[in-house]
Amino acid sequence: MIARSMRGLVVTAAMLFITGAGAQEVKHYRFAYDQPRNTGYSIAGDLFADKLKELSKGTMIIDQYPGAQLGQEPQVLQLVKSGDVEFSIVSSANTATISPQAGVMSLHYLFRDENHVVKGLADPKVFEALKAMIEETTQGLHLIATGSQGVRHMYSKKEIHNVGDLKGLKVRVQATATEDIMFPAYGAQTVHMPFGSVYTSLQTGVVDVAENSINVYLVNKHYEVAPVLNITEHEANNALVFVSDKLWQSLSAEQKGWVQTAANEVSTKEPAKAFDLERAAAEKLKKLGVKIVDNVDKKSFAAIADPYLDKLAKELGPHAVKIKDLIRSIN
């Protein structure tokens, strides 16, 4: 009888252990982006992964897939929508491929300076307006955070000192309605292509100019084929962090809370870190012999861009107008 009772206790203990282990089952989730490590995107991935691991006591683990391993941004967005990828960080410009009003974040000279970008991306009202836009204009994913890769500048084989220097040049732009209007307004020709084709296109002359943030220009070695970086600061390089609806619906209320709290780390901390990375990248580029034109007459560009702010936001839709107004009102 004693032996039978002991066996019963052992079985019960084993069942308790299995139940406890089941409750603490470790799950891995994919977090995809198209930039390499040591960029604003990987900063976002690290902040999110570390905080989620801490909050979940190691039961929710983020596996990062940088460098377009799972596809370029438009493809990754579709994978998130289908539930084949759980998380991603994607530029707001490429988000416009599934939610056109996201193009508002690409309006030229919408943001005044670095501080305005950092404050704008962390602003709760701006986030809620962006979230509502995504919820009401697309399906299959949810917005959980904002991010940054600094601001965008134009780089080429030639110096650009003012808007007149851009006339007639072929510029690789992101595929948004706002870009297709703004660059021709400056006198340039627009060319669309995946980010992965930019290096070769600059090298062969398919395009004369590309534009991106300083660190992206550095880590992708675009300076090898376009050795002049012109500090135009024409557009904030905004990003959005998404979770697939398929995963979101499978999470408990507690897990959803962990995910959103971890995502808040990105919105509040990543943009400032991204700008730190920009400054460090500029110093590295100088040492590599890159010509940095930092006296660009930005007012010559802004004078053309400013009248388009209200016009383009209105054409994009009511969400875009609200987001534009909220951002412009931030001091």
Side-chain angles (χ1 to χ4, degrees):
M1 288 293 292
I2 293 173
R4 187 178 298 171
S5 297
M6 288 298 293
R7 283 198 299 273
L9 286 170
V10 170
V11 170
T12 302
M15 289 176 67
L16 286 170
F17 175 78
I18 292 169
T19 303
Q24 296 298 312
E25 182 183 357
V26 176
K27 290 192 175 181
H28 288 253
Y29 305 97
R30 289 154 293 193
F31 188 110
Y33 46 92
D34 77 345
Q35 292 299 315
R37 295 287 302 171
N38 303 313
T39 61
Y41 282 3
S42 66
I43 290 173
D46 291 346
L47 285 167
F48 183 66
D50 292 346
K51 193 64 176 179
L52 187 58
K53 182 178 180 180
E54 173 195 328
L55 292 169
S56 68
K57 295 182 172 57
T59 61
M60 298 181 77
I61 303 298
I62 295 296
D63 297 325
Q64 296 184 52
Y65 290 83
Q69 291 179 50
L70 302 183
Q72 300 287 333
E73 290 190 344
Q75 289 77 41
V76 168
L77 276 171
Q78 294 302 324
L79 291 172
V80 175
K81 281 168 63 68
S82 66
D84 295 310
V85 170
E86 290 81 24
F87 298 98
S88 68
I89 181 167
V90 174
S91 70
S92 56
N94 277 320
T95 300
T97 61
I98 62 167
S99 179
Q101 292 190 68
V104 68
M105 298 296 278
S106 300
L107 291 178
H108 287 200
Y109 299 100
L110 171 65
F111 293 88
R112 294 184 296 274
D113 51 34
E114 172 185 333
N115 187 53
H116 192 198
V117 174
V118 173
K119 289 177 72 174
L121 293 179
D123 188 271
K125 290 181 181 178
V126 172
F127 174 74
E128 288 303 323
L130 286 165
K131 186 175 180 180
M133 175 191 72
I134 294 299
E135 295 295 326
E136 293 179 27
T137 60
T138 190
Q139 296 178 321
L141 43 64
H142 305 282
L143 177 67
I144 56 173
T146 54
S148 173
Q149 291 205 94
V151 292
R152 299 176 80 89
H153 312 280
M154 301 182 202
Y155 48 89
S156 62
K157 292 182 173 70
K158 65 169 287 186
E159 296 182 19
I160 297 170
H161 292 275
N162 56 57
V163 71
D165 291 337
L166 203 60
K167 188 171 183 178
L169 298 183
K170 295 172 290 185
V171 184
R172 182 269 176 179
V173 301
Q174 301 169 101
T176 71
T178 54
E179 306 291 54
D180 286 342
I181 289 172
M182 288 315 308
F183 280 94
Y186 298 146
Q189 302 175 47
T190 59
V191 180
H192 294 175
M193 68 181 61
F195 179 78
S197 302
V198 173
Y199 184 104
T200 303
S201 296
L202 284 165
Q203 186 178 42
T204 59
V206 171
V207 295
D208 304 304
V209 182
E211 45 90 52
N212 219 307
S213 59
I214 300 173
N215 192 58
V216 169
Y217 171 69
L218 170 67
V219 299
N220 288 281
K221 298 186 177 182
H222 287 181
Y223 60 86
E224 293 179 346
V225 290
V228 182
L229 174 63
N230 304 284
I231 306 299
T232 52
E233 298 181 326
H234 57 277
E235 179 184 329
N237 210 16
N238 299 310
L240 303 174
V241 181
F242 295 103
V243 60
S244 74
D245 181 64
K246 182 178 179 181
L247 172 63
W248 189 250
Q249 298 302 334
S250 73
L251 299 177
S252 67
E254 184 179 37
Q255 289 172 320
K256 287 178 180 177
W258 294 339
V259 168
Q260 188 57 65
T261 300
N264 293 344
E265 288 280 292
V266 178
S267 298
T268 56
K269 295 180 179 179
E270 187 273 344
K273 290 178 179 291
F275 277 102
D276 288 341
L277 208 56
E278 291 291 278
R279 283 183 282 274
E283 291 304 312
K284 290 177 183 177
L285 288 164
K286 287 176 184 176
K287 292 176 182 176
L288 288 168
V290 169
K291 171 70 174 179
I292 298 180
V293 180
D294 55 12
N295 61 343
V296 176
D297 179 11
K298 291 186 282 290
K299 289 182 179 178
S300 68
F301 288 93
I304 295 171
D306 281 350
Y308 283 94
L309 282 173
D310 292 338
K311 180 178 183 293
L312 290 176
K314 188 175 181 180
E315 289 177 1
L316 286 169
H319 289 290
V321 171
K322 182 176 182 179
I323 292 163
K324 181 263 297 179
D325 288 344
L326 284 170
I327 289 171
R328 296 295 279 183
S329 69
I330 294 170
N331 295 317

